[in-house]
Amino acid sequence: MAQNIALVGIGKIAVDQHVPALAASPDWTLAATVSRSGSVPGIMSFTDLDAMLADRPDIPVISLCLPPVPRFAYAEKALRAGRHVMLEKPPGATLAEVHALSDLARDRGVTLYATWHSRMAAGVAQARQWLADKVVTRARITWKEDVRKWHPGQDWVFEPGGMGVFDPGSNALSILTHILPKPVHVTAATLFYPENRQTPIAAEVQFSGDVSGDFDWRQTGPQTWNIDVETAGGSLRLSQGGAALTIDSVAREVGKNREYPSLYSHMAGLVDRGESDVDLAPMVHIADAMTLGRRVTVDPFQF
Ligand code: NAP
């Protein structure tokens, strides 16, 4: 039977992905929204989380679609109210706050799911399986997109905690950390900060084991979301953000890309089994790149 769920933060990703995924899901009924300005036609809407938690004890699960900085306070309240919680990616503004949420969820006996939608991209599971018994000799992330297209007018991405280009970069890192048979760590980084902004618009990151990442938010025209992996036993490319896979230059059949439906289906299983799923490996790489990164100032950026 479908369970009630509430969506909090009705902005770009809620409208683009969460609402359609829930509407098509047999597991969930969208029962309420919480947003200061957004709503979903036909769904009971609140502007305040406390009011929703008080009025709707029949909603056991809350999915938070807010940016990372304001998300923590909402997550903490929902967990304290005994609700299961789903976090958009990246799961927090800091590592410690996500550890705190994890501890709280465990103490309250509820589920916390730190989602990584790109891990659900159609080619990722097969890539992970193919790499499982391989020795990786080189890997390269090329993640170049147009910030104006994907984050139109969203100044929060350039404010402290917004993570800049590591907001989409976390998608690549969530795949990398999922498919590599052995973990790597950041060894150096160069971060490119617009002179009028607080977060990087581009980054070059080196990892151990000849692994590297080139992240850039200034790409117009065709967008590039590739991960290339070379091994002693052949090479692999995930492209289109993980939705397409080639192995030794031969395209693999991977099925339809269903990232957000897969997240919600996974959440249903976690709640059912009384489990949580919180993997901070992608965020550790971001924190380490910020810690080690050499800063280069580039042209100012305006939306
Ligand atoms: P967004 O549209 O700028 O923000 C989502 C909603 O959060 C806003 O509509 C706003 O709703 C609420 N919000 C923003 N700042 C707030 C604050 N300080 N306090 C309370 N509520 C606030 O952002 P988005 O693109 O949907 O991204 C949200 C999350 O989804 C991010 O973590 C992002 O990485 C992730 N994501 C985004 C995309 C994408 O393509 N944009 C793709 C995948 C994942 P109200 O003002 O109505 O309350």
Side-chain angles (χ1 to χ4, degrees), residues 12-25:
K12 185 170 189 320
I13 199 60
V15 171
D16 287 359
Q17 296 290 345
H18 291 258
V19 172
L22 288 170
S25 170

Side-chain angles (χ1 to χ4, degrees), residues 40-300:
V40 175
I43 306 297
M44 178 184 267
S45 65
F46 294 81
T47 52
D48 179 71
L49 179 65
D50 294 318
M52 192 275 284
L53 293 171
D55 279 19
R56 297 297 304 266
D58 61 318
I59 300 180
V61 182
I62 316 286
S63 179
L64 299 177
C65 310
L66 311 151
V69 169
R71 201 185 303 127
F72 174 79
Y74 284 77
E76 190 182 30
K77 276 186 182 176
L79 292 170
R80 285 197 190 286
R83 314 302 169 89
H84 308 288
V85 169
M86 236 171 120
L87 304 170
E88 248 299 352
K89 57 98 288 207
T94 70
L95 292 161
E97 71 178 35
V98 188
H99 285 301
L101 293 178
S102 248
D103 291 348
L104 184 56
R106 189 198 54 231
D107 293 349
R108 298 287 157 137
V110 294
T111 292
L112 180 67
Y113 179 21
T115 67
W116 296 107
H117 66 85
S118 292
R119 279 190 181 169
M120 297 300 192
V124 172
Q126 213 181 117
R128 176 182 160 99
Q129 193 180 18
W130 187 80
L131 284 169
D133 62 356
K134 305 279 188 306
V135 176
V136 172
T137 52
R138 189 171 181 272
R140 174 92 177 148
I141 295 169
T142 312
W143 221 256
K144 297 184 175 188
E145 62 177 58
D146 183 351
V147 63
R148 291 186 175 90
K149 176 173 165 66
W150 301 102
H151 294 277
Q154 293 178 7
D155 282 314
W156 64 262
V157 298
F158 288 114
E159 289 298 316
M163 295 185 205
V165 75
F166 289 117
D167 178 276
S170 70
N171 298 336
L173 294 170
S174 74
I175 296 175
L176 186 82
T177 49
H178 193 59
I179 64 173
L180 288 186
K182 287 195 176 147
V184 293
H185 59 269
V186 173
T187 57
T190 305
L191 310 174
F192 300 87
Y193 285 76
E195 69 178 26
N196 60 337
R197 299 287 183 169
Q198 297 292 322
T199 63
I201 196 163
E204 292 165 2
V205 184
Q206 294 293 322
F207 300 82
S208 54
D210 202 5
V211 175
S212 61
D214 184 1
F215 307 90
D216 203 324
W217 241 349
R218 296 166 297 187
Q219 174 140 316
T220 53
Q223 310 282 282
T224 310
W225 297 293
N226 294 344
I227 300 179
D228 292 285
V229 186
E230 294 170 21
T231 77
S235 65
L236 163 160
R237 166 172 279 193
L238 279 166
S239 56
Q240 298 170 35
L245 173 67
T246 57
I247 294 179
D248 294 331
S249 303
V250 178
R252 293 291 179 116
E253 179 52 54
V254 293
K256 198 163 175 267
N257 208 38
R258 300 181 74 256
E259 295 176 29
Y260 280 81
S262 301
L263 294 180
Y264 278 104
S265 162
H266 186 56
M267 181 65 177
L270 290 173
V271 171
D272 197 40
R273 296 189 301 276
E275 295 172 2
S276 286
D277 180 349
V278 180
D279 178 13
L280 288 175
M283 258 183 87
V284 168
H285 288 324
I286 296 169
D288 286 357
M290 297 290 221
T291 305
L292 270 181
R294 194 170 64 90
R295 182 183 175 120
V296 174
T297 301
V298 296
D299 289 346

